[in-house]
Amino acid sequence: MNFTLTSGDALELAGELLVLPVFENALAHPPQVVSRADRALEGLLTRAAGEEGFRGKADQTFILHTHGKLRAARVALLGLGARTAFEPETLRLACGRAVKAALKLKPGTVTVVLPDADEEPAALVRAAVEGFVLGAYRFDRYRTLGREAQAQKPPSRVQVHLPERVTRGATLEEAVALGQRVGEAVNWARDLVNEPAAVVTPTRLAEEAETACRKAGLKVTVGGRREIEKLKMGMFLAVARGSAEEPRLIQVSYVPKDATAAGRAPLALVGKAITFDSGGLSLKTAEGMVDMKTDMAGSAAVFAAMQVIAALKPPFPVHAFVGACENMPSGNAYRPGDVLTSRLGKTVEVTNTDAEGRLVLGDILTWASEHKPFQLVDLATLTGACIVALGHYLVGAFAVNDEAAEQVLEAGQAAGEHLWRMPITELQKDALRSEVADMKNSGERWGGAISAAIFLNEFVGDVPWVHLDIAGPSQSPRERGYYGKGATGVGVRTLVELVRQHAAHLGMEGTSVSGETPARRGRARRVRAR
């Protein structure tokens, strides 16, 4: 899709679809552009919308053919819900609905009129662009589609129409560029997660990451079993042992060209990359195994975010660390009762081979911590317990360091991804006590997401660390706004926003693709890039 900013009289813009977002119950006193469109249609727009039950609620869409009475062939009303609850994410979701409706209409040009809301115009522009890019996503490469489905294509051009009080400028153009870049990166991650595990093996994941990240100008190094052995990652090696697929150790690095910036402490990102999780010898049920191709969603999000970060060019290094493998049962698989020695030197008694992600992450987090980052964030589809606690639309955020937690929560809110802070408490440590080793890899059922976070915390030392359990939000069980069923690419937008906020704190008010100033960046005292 090609995005352009427009201003002036929205009703004079030609195209197949004119999209008018409205707040709940606004049709009684509609915005000026809706009122003028209604008059041109002889009152049919509001009358027909009312008869169809359209009230401007956040999940409602109404489309009407204009029969030549407007320059646009059709007009769509998009519900935004209550004005008091409005945020850019509301518009992002609404634009996702708009493009899904547009797919059935096969429009060449769509115009969306931004609502006159109390938000930064750049934030609204970016949200609209991201909503269209994300909403147009489909994963259908393995389907034999009918002729009608094959003909469904996203609009070739989207015109983002600005409110009268807003003038076009470089900041808004940058917001368009950033929104499109972020949306495309999220969709790249969605593709990886949606692919079958037989396609995205550890080797293939490393290849896809290497190709995309090098194209973005990043340094990529990929190692195999020998490199993992040299790093003495005993937990990672144990999990990988049961599979015929070779494990991969992946590092992606952005380093600023400026020597002062390059010398600063880095931001470190870690993503879980179990490309298929059978549970190992603690075998999952058949039903529980169906979606386990998605157990590498954390790594996909990290690799996608790194591609955007390369374009942002923050004034500090950013490194991504990933250990990729399968967790499979075989005659060579690790066993319940085994004692593993981690890279950190801690010993771990295996009580459940289906608690494998934390074992791989423990070694990778140790490796990442050795680079002395000013902050470390990991993304992992780690526990079903977090889905039980928070459902499919909230990310569980765990941290010991309050400042680091606040920064990541801020970034998630600004990006439109919903994070909820969960506790890490000493009271839960007893669940991981072992009689034969320093700790167990899995404890009792109760508080399982907290126990997993406590386990990971043992491997990060004093580094300000935040763990994001994305087990629920990595997959959407239904269509909702710009979501379709399947992979969501959750975490990409939060990581990008976190980098932008750290960069802004260092006095970097914008970049070539920065868009709006990061929201609420002054609220919390930051962990500094030293």
Side-chain angles (χ1 to χ4, degrees):
M1 283 180 282
N2 178 38
F3 290 90
T4 57
L5 295 173
T6 62
S7 55
D9 189 352
L11 301 188
E12 290 299 315
L13 296 173
E16 285 72 32
L17 184 64
L18 174 64
V19 179
L20 304 176
V22 295
F23 291 103
E24 190 169 356
N25 298 322
L27 291 188
H29 302 285
Q32 185 180 31
V33 65
V34 176
S35 180
R36 291 180 57 235
D38 191 43
R39 286 199 300 270
L41 294 167
E42 301 174 354
L44 185 60
L45 178 60
T46 56
R47 186 169 72 249
E51 291 173 354
E52 293 293 328
F54 181 86
R55 298 291 182 268
K57 294 183 178 180
D59 60 348
Q60 290 186 313
T61 303
F62 174 76
I63 300 178
L64 183 71
H65 204 293
T66 66
H67 297 286
K69 294 181 179 179
L70 291 177
R71 295 200 67 188
R74 289 178 176 85
V75 61
L77 298 179
L78 283 183
L80 296 176
R83 179 182 284 274
T84 54
F86 178 79
E87 57 183 354
E89 174 68 358
T90 309
L91 180 62
R92 190 180 285 110
L93 288 165
C95 288
R97 297 201 314 274
V99 74
K100 286 180 181 180
L103 289 172
K104 302 172 184 177
L105 304 175
K106 310 182 190 74
T109 300
V110 172
T111 299
V112 57
V113 178
L114 296 184
D116 194 3
D118 295 331
E119 297 284 344
E120 291 187 7
L124 297 180
V125 168
R126 177 180 167 188
V129 172
E130 287 180 0
F132 272 90
V133 175
L134 297 174
Y137 175 82
R138 293 186 302 166
F139 186 80
D140 55 17
R141 65 186 58 180
Y142 295 107
R143 298 181 63 190
T144 305
L145 299 174
R147 186 174 301 173
E148 181 180 349
Q150 289 178 348
Q152 290 187 2
K153 293 182 179 179
S156 57
R157 184 184 183 200
V158 177
Q159 299 178 127
V160 181
H161 192 76
L162 303 173
E164 288 185 7
R165 63 181 178 84
V166 177
T167 56
R168 294 172 61 178
T171 300
L172 297 186
E173 296 289 350
E174 290 164 1
V176 171
L178 179 60
Q180 188 161 13
R181 190 183 295 275
V182 169
E184 290 170 352
V186 172
N187 288 346
W188 180 89
R190 288 162 113 179
D191 271 346
L192 278 182
V193 179
N194 280 327
E195 284 282 4
V199 175
V200 178
T201 61
T203 298
R204 176 69 178 273
L205 178 64
E207 291 171 350
E208 293 291 333
E210 186 171 16
T211 299
C213 291
R214 282 189 174 168
K215 184 178 179 181
L218 298 165
K219 179 182 177 182
V220 184
T221 56
V222 178
R225 193 179 300 272
R226 181 178 298 178
E227 286 73 21
I228 301 168
E229 289 172 347
K230 286 181 179 178
L231 289 172
K232 298 181 179 179
M233 294 182 172
M235 297 190 297
F236 183 9
L237 287 167
V239 176
R241 203 169 67 205
S243 175
E245 294 288 343
E246 285 294 303
R248 289 291 179 266
L249 187 68
I250 309 160
Q251 180 177 349
V252 179
S253 296
Y254 160 79
V255 179
K257 293 183 179 179
D258 177 75
T260 300
R264 290 191 171 111
L267 172 67
L269 308 176
V270 169
K272 180 183 173 185
I274 305 298
T275 60
F276 186 74
D277 179 18
S278 70
L281 292 178
S282 304
L283 197 66
K284 293 179 183 290
T285 63
E287 181 182 359
M289 224 181 290
V290 171
D291 288 331
M292 286 302 101
K293 66 179 185 178
T294 70
D295 212 15
M296 37 61 68
S299 66
V302 166
F303 292 141
M306 287 298 296
Q307 295 170 52
V308 182
I309 290 166
L312 290 174
K313 296 181 172 57
F316 51 84
V318 183
H319 301 302
F321 304 90
V322 170
C325 67
E326 289 184 335
N327 183 30
M328 298 289 279
S330 74
N332 196 41
Y334 77 123
R335 307 161 181 83
D338 285 355
V339 176
L340 312 177
T341 303
S342 67
R343 173 165 175 76
L344 190 61
K346 286 182 180 290
T347 57
V348 176
E349 178 191 3
V350 177
T351 56
N352 186 345
T353 65
D354 195 22
E356 84 299 328
R358 66 197 70 179
L359 295 173
V360 176
L361 285 172
D363 278 338
I364 301 300
L365 288 170
T366 299
W367 184 38
S369 298
E370 290 165 359
H371 290 73
K372 298 182 179 179
F374 69 85
Q375 192 173 52
L376 171 57
V377 181
D378 80 76
L379 279 75
T381 49
L382 203 62
T383 64
C386 208
I387 306 177
V388 173
L390 298 178
H392 279 282
Y393 298 105
L394 283 174
V395 174
F398 298 81
V400 175
N401 185 292
D402 290 337
E403 293 177 21
E406 181 67 15
Q407 290 157 22
V408 175
L409 291 170
E410 276 190 34
Q413 180 170 335
E417 294 185 323
H418 300 292
L419 280 58
W420 193 267
R421 188 170 182 187
M422 301 284 281
I424 294 183
T425 169
E426 293 288 319
L427 296 174
Q428 191 69 15
K429 266 194 170 184
D430 284 347
L432 297 180
R433 291 192 188 280
S434 168
E435 295 182 1
V436 298
D438 294 333
M439 59 194 306
K440 298 188 293 189
N441 76 320
S442 180
E444 59 191 11
R445 176 185 178 189
W446 320 114
I450 300 172
S451 295
I454 289 172
F455 183 92
L456 297 182
N457 186 50
E458 293 294 312
F459 298 93
V460 297
D462 296 329
V463 175
W465 158 79
V466 180
H467 160 56
L468 300 181
D469 192 328
I470 62 170
S474 66
Q475 295 281 299
S476 178
R478 63 185 66 88
E479 289 205 358
R480 174 177 172 265
Y482 52 78
Y483 294 109
K485 288 185 179 180
T488 63
V490 71
V492 177
R493 284 152 42 198
T494 294
L495 294 181
V496 169
E497 198 62 28
L498 181 66
V499 168
R500 294 182 65 238
Q501 291 187 0
H502 280 308
H505 180 73
L506 288 170
M508 183 182 170
E509 290 298 327
T511 69
S512 59
V513 290
S514 66
E516 78 281 4
T517 301
R520 304 187 306 140
R521 65 172 181 265
R523 198 176 80 183
R525 186 166 59 89
R526 290 196 169 271
V527 176
R528 293 180 179 272
R530 298 181 293 274

